[in-house]
Amino acid sequence: MLIDIIKAFLVGGAICAVGQLLIDYTKLTPARILSGFVVAGVILSALGLYKPLVDFAGAGATVPLTGFGHLLAEGIRKMIESDGFLGIFTGGLTAAAGGVTAALLFGLTASVFFKQRDKN
């Protein structure tokens, strides 16, 4: 188990380090970097390069945004196999529904218990 934790830490840390380097040394906005990570996850998954990384690092590869892109690509691939062309439109939504729902519910819960305040 300790080896799995170390692998997840190293891979996840490397992905986050790339993001930090992009923030520090480019003029890209954080929003563009984040969406670029999702697109990179989709592309790497489509090329068959991201699945071995997920198998190696587990949560270190699935938790960052590249993992979200991988999740979308895998969901679309599976739905195309079962539903054909319609799977292009439903696969990503089906695969990511649990995570998106959890994020919305946690955000709603936090908004109920905490007050918004100005940044001043």
Side-chain angles (χ1 to χ4, degrees), residues 2-3 5 19 32 43 49-50 52 57 69-70 73-74 79 83 85-86 91 102 105:
L2 181 62
I3 297 298
I5 293 170
R32 288 184 178 179
I43 292 170
L49 301 174
Y50 206 78
H70 170 68
E74 285 296 304
M79 290 300 282
D83 294 347
F85 183 74
L86 188 60
L105 289 177

Side-chain angles (χ1 to χ4, degrees), residues 54-111:
V54 169
D55 293 339
F56 173 75
T62 58
V63 171
L65 281 173
T66 50
F68 183 68
H70 170 68
L71 175 71
L72 293 174
E74 285 296 304
I76 291 169
R77 184 188 58 76
K78 288 178 184 175
M79 290 300 282
I80 287 173
E81 289 175 1
S82 65
D83 294 347
F85 183 74
L86 188 60
I88 294 171
F89 304 106
T90 60
L93 297 173
T94 304
V100 171
T101 302
L104 289 172
L105 289 177
F106 290 138
L108 177 64
T109 303
S111 71

Side-chain angles (χ1 to χ4, degrees), residues 6 14-15 18 20 23 32 34 40 49 54 69 86 88-89 101 103 105 112-114 117 119:
I6 292 170
I15 293 170
V18 169
Q20 188 63 49
I23 289 171
R32 288 184 178 179
L34 294 176
L49 301 174
V54 169
L86 188 60
I88 294 171
F89 304 106
T101 302
L105 289 177
V112 168
F113 290 108
F114 300 101
R117 56 185 169 171
K119 292 183 181 183

Side-chain angles (χ1 to χ4, degrees), residues 12-22 37:
I15 293 170
C16 292
V18 169
Q20 188 63 49
L21 289 171
L22 290 171
F37 271 135

